[in-house]
Amino acid sequence: MTDKRPARSAAATTLLTVAVITFPMAGNSYHLHMVCLIGINVISATGLNLLTGCAGLVSLGHAAFMGVGAYGVAWFGTHLGLPFYLCLPLGGLLAAGVGMIAGLPSFRLKGLYLAIASLAAQFILSFVFNEWEPVTGGRSGVTLAPAEIAGLRLTTEREMYYLIAVITVAALLFARNLFRTRVGRAFIALRDRDIAAEVLGVDLRRYKLMAFGVSSFYAGVAGGLMAYFFKVVAPGQFGFQLSLFFLAAIVVGGLGTVQGAVLGAIFMTMTPEVLSWVAGPFGPVATGFLAPVREVLFGLLIIVFLIFEPRGLVGIGSRVRSWHPRSWAQRRSR
Amino acid sequence: MPLANPAEAGHGENLLEVDNLCLRFGGLTVLDAVSLRVPAGGITALIGPNGAGKSSLFNAISGCYRPQVGTITFAGREITRLPTSRRAALGVARTFQNIALFPGLTVLDNIKLGSHVHLHTGLLAAGFYLGRARREELRLHTELERDVIDQLGIRDILRVPVATLPYGQQKRVELARALAMGPRLLLLDEPVAGMNRPDRAEMVRLIRNLQQQRGMTVLLVEHDMGVVMDISEQVIVLDFGRVITAGTPAAVREDAAVIAAYLGTEAQQSQHGADEQGPS
């Protein structure tokens, strides 16, 4: 079975690649819009999952770091006139820097207390987005020019789709690779037993900062892509609700696994859509109820998953697999 | 190089020296002017009744606790205030009384964490996983298989999540992780506690091998007197945070203060008088 494995995963990779490339030809612009959003959310959720799921540092301020990336990208583009391919990584780095500063309390705080500290970061940054008008444009936000690569302006959803797809895949590969090496192991060690990790020579502060840095970089890049996608950045986009959205995504998808962030981001992005399909036939009154129902549903999902399936959709997936075909069970055993 | 032969200091020198160490938690004195010597290349046992301060001393040596007074010298270098994570790189490894494995990782990844300080892959190299990072991982794997995994007979369970393992195997994996550090000093906190007879014999054999074949210095805390008397060259007895005696197993076994500490106040009074009595 070990020799079949690479062949099978190569086949899966090829199939997935073909699907990703050909999708825009099949889908309409609504589909493309949703898939782009999913891609952006996958990147951001992956970042949060590295921090919270893997390194065990709970953050309620993830959306704020996306905001830093989004405003950063807009500012670098508009005020410094930098090209898009520089703005995006710079936006990520800016978010990483801010995230690492916001991560400093993790040297002394754990668990719930750290979560509260990150909540403070969320509200402080939200305040800055609202009030620092020369840079953020205040409540009305800022607009930015579309991304441009080699003279090609990425204005439509189809063009953005390819950009987002490439960056999403890169982000996922990077995250997966971390867990093949000492860096990913150190993250999990500091989550599971920080004292033992320290005795083994893991410098806790260094890895906590690293986790905040990487996680916020992911958030910043996702925020930057969001800015290019909507071509406007406004403070309301990056509020506490969005932070909860991502926390729910990784809990529902599966804490600490790359697939978990992907499944969770897809699930959470599609849930409101599915809800509105369901409510649609019942007329405007039913759709009017949706907005509050959605928040309640997110909360319920977190609770239900934490109680009944702490491993999230990934856990459900692996359970389903072990019920059925022998081949899967054999693969698990090695 | 990870897993290099740790035998550098020859017999006769002290690898670890603890001088006048005092550790207090608020008003509670846990270690009271503890001084001891651990000769390089030997097996030293630390014994004493419950609450004597054995694990606290381990915690002070490995850096988890900060003593208020006194010094700890390892291989000629004072490490009393050295951050915990830096001590691993010097060659201090330990296991924990209540097994401190990482339940979210497989056996192999737990063991690999032991080699953390010998690896160099940084964040970017790790994420791109090209060339150097990949080679480092592969080399680590081969080295661990050769030096640790086969010796401890845990090859069959490498991919298993540690949380699912029975107690005896968890102890073994924890020892493997400590060995992956390529340590010069191995601190073992109750290595055979809770083990059945065959597992215990196997663990004793392993510890002896480590000392004899790799020249590792071992300091262990153990309640099983059979094991202690069997493998140690020096026995140090701690009671109420003080060293009450140190010497060969035979000498310690006959020591009146030790018997008193273990058998309680009545024996102490009848053999010694009130001066030996600890706070009660």
Side-chain angles (χ1 to χ4, degrees):
Chain A
M1 70 212 147
T2 24
D3 30 318
K4 269 190 199 158
R5 199 170 164 183
R8 202 185 283 193
S9 85
T13 313
T14 319
L15 209 67
L16 208 65
T17 315
V18 172
V20 167
I21 292 173
T22 54
F23 178 77
M25 296 156 206
N28 62 28
S29 83
Y30 167 74
H31 294 147
L32 279 171
H33 181 91
M34 288 315 295
V35 172
C36 286
L37 273 188
I38 286 176
I40 292 170
N41 288 343
V42 163
I43 297 170
S44 189
T46 304
L48 184 62
N49 214 2
L50 286 174
L51 180 70
T52 302
C54 302
L57 304 164
V58 180
S59 169
L60 293 172
H62 200 61
F65 306 132
M66 289 179 75
V68 171
Y71 282 110
V73 162
W75 196 79
F76 290 132
T78 322
H79 290 258
L80 300 184
L82 294 176
F84 134 86
Y85 54 84
L86 285 181
C87 287
L88 199 59
L90 282 177
L93 286 177
L94 183 68
V98 175
M100 283 159 88
I101 294 169
L104 288 175
S106 70
F107 290 180
R108 307 305 289 269
L109 303 176
K110 275 188 197 174
L112 190 58
Y113 301 95
L114 181 61
I116 302 293
S118 70
L119 193 59
Q122 166 75 54
F123 282 103
I124 290 169
L125 286 169
S126 279
F127 179 79
V128 172
F129 297 157
N130 270 308
E131 305 299 328
W132 196 15
E133 278 188 39
V135 172
T136 66
R139 274 160 225 285
S140 49
V142 289
T143 54
L144 69 167
E148 197 177 313
I149 306 175
L152 179 73
R153 287 161 74 87
L154 307 181
T155 41
T156 66
E157 261 122 10
R158 183 150 307 165
E159 288 148 1
M160 279 303 288
Y161 168 85
Y162 284 111
L163 174 69
I164 292 173
V166 167
I167 296 177
T168 307
V169 169
L172 290 175
L173 286 178
F174 191 93
R176 188 200 59 178
N177 284 344
L178 283 186
F179 292 92
R180 297 170 142 180
T181 66
R182 71 177 201 139
V183 178
R185 289 194 293 267
F187 282 171
I188 293 175
L190 81 89
R191 173 193 73 189
D192 283 357
R193 279 176 201 275
D194 50 357
I195 292 173
E198 214 174 0
V199 168
L200 293 175
V202 176
D203 184 341
L204 296 188
R205 294 182 173 201
R206 187 186 151 89
Y207 279 93
K208 281 177 180 175
L209 275 192
M210 208 187 271
F212 270 101
V214 185
S215 163
S216 313
F217 182 83
Y218 273 70
V221 168
L225 283 174
M226 215 177 216
Y228 282 117
F229 187 63
F230 292 117
K231 309 203 173 44
V232 60
V233 185
Q237 286 172 290
F238 305 104
F240 175 57
Q241 279 188 351
L242 189 66
S243 285
L244 267 190
F245 172 93
F246 284 110
L247 204 59
I250 60 172
V251 169
V252 167
L255 286 167
T257 63
V258 173
Q259 308 94 294
V262 175
L263 292 178
I266 295 173
F267 187 90
M268 292 299 290
T269 316
M270 291 312 292
T271 301
E273 297 303 308
V274 173
L275 274 185
S276 62
W277 296 338
V278 173
F282 297 99
V285 181
T287 32
F289 270 122
L290 267 188
V293 165
R294 203 160 69 189
E295 306 304 325
V296 172
L297 189 79
F298 289 173
L300 272 180
L301 280 172
I302 296 186
I303 295 170
V304 166
F305 270 90
L306 281 180
I307 294 176
F308 294 107
E309 185 48 87
R311 289 185 304 156
L313 292 171
V314 170
I316 294 179
S318 66
R319 237 192 268 169
V320 169
R321 259 177 269 145
S322 58
W323 282 338
H324 269 311
R326 273 162 293 151
S327 56
W328 285 103
Q330 282 169 352
R331 272 176 66 171
R332 298 243 107 195
S333 68
R334 177 64 199 173
Chain B
M1 265 294 96
L3 315 176
N5 189 352
E8 282 168 39
H11 249 280
E13 280 175 56
N14 294 321
L15 183 62
L16 179 75
E17 299 186 357
V18 173
D19 283 297
N20 191 35
L21 205 67
C22 297
L23 176 70
R24 280 184 290 273
F25 294 124
L28 185 70
T29 301
V30 181
L31 295 176
D32 186 5
V34 168
S35 298
L36 54 86
R37 302 276 176 272
V38 176
I43 298 180
T44 302
L46 195 59
I47 64 171
N50 287 328
K54 306 180 296 292
S55 288
S56 296
L57 182 59
F58 262 34
N59 283 335
I61 296 170
S62 58
C64 304
Y65 291 167
R66 290 292 134 103
Q68 283 85 2
V69 181
T71 56
I72 302 168
T73 312
F74 176 74
R77 175 175 173 183
E78 207 206 302
I79 60 166
T80 322
R81 311 252 171 272
L82 197 71
T84 311
S85 59
R86 300 260 305 277
R87 301 182 193 206
L90 292 181
V92 181
R94 73 170 286 186
T95 63
F96 292 80
Q97 192 179 344
N98 308 314
I99 307 185
L101 291 169
F102 305 109
L105 292 171
T106 61
V107 169
L108 182 62
D109 279 342
N110 262 281
I111 297 171
K112 280 181 172 175
L113 256 162
S115 301
H116 184 83
V117 290
H118 300 297
L119 305 176
H120 305 285
T121 302
L123 179 69
L124 290 181
F128 293 115
Y129 201 61
L130 300 167
R132 226 160 40 97
R134 181 190 290 262
R135 277 198 303 277
E136 187 174 80
E137 276 305 306
L138 295 178
R139 197 179 58 223
L140 172 66
H141 198 120
T142 336
E143 281 173 349
L144 287 177
E145 282 194 335
R146 186 189 62 210
D147 297 343
V148 177
I149 292 165
D150 286 342
Q151 265 216 346
L152 296 195
I154 47 177
R155 185 180 275 274
D156 296 338
I157 53 170
L158 288 181
R159 310 277 168 192
V160 178
V162 284
T164 61
L165 291 177
Y167 179 83
Q169 280 189 326
Q170 290 199 9
K171 282 242 163 202
R172 204 177 275 217
V173 173
E174 204 191 19
L175 178 62
R177 186 179 68 182
L179 293 183
M181 297 171 74
R184 299 175 66 184
L185 174 66
L186 188 58
L187 304 167
L188 301 174
D189 203 343
E190 305 202 11
V192 301
M195 281 191 176
N196 59 23
R197 195 179 288 266
D199 279 352
R200 199 163 53 205
E202 174 65 14
M203 186 59 90
V204 166
R205 192 187 59 81
L206 271 172
I207 296 172
R208 228 193 227 122
N209 272 350
L210 292 174
Q211 180 227 358
Q212 287 169 354
Q213 290 168 13
R214 302 203 201 178
M216 219 171 268
T217 308
V218 179
L219 175 62
L220 58 92
V221 164
E222 189 46 68
H223 282 297
D224 185 316
M225 285 307 135
V227 169
V228 167
M229 298 300 164
D230 185 22
I231 60 173
S232 22
E233 287 153 28
Q234 184 196 199
V235 178
I236 299 169
V237 190
L238 223 54
D239 191 23
F240 291 111
R242 290 169 161 274
V243 175
I244 55 175
T245 189
T248 61
V252 165
R253 200 178 351 217
E254 305 303 321
D255 192 283
V258 177
I259 296 168
Y262 269 90
L263 297 184
T265 344
E266 238 173 346
Q268 207 167 10
Q269 278 165 349
S270 62
Q271 293 178 16
H272 256 285
D275 58 329
E276 291 283 341
Q277 198 170 346
S280 49

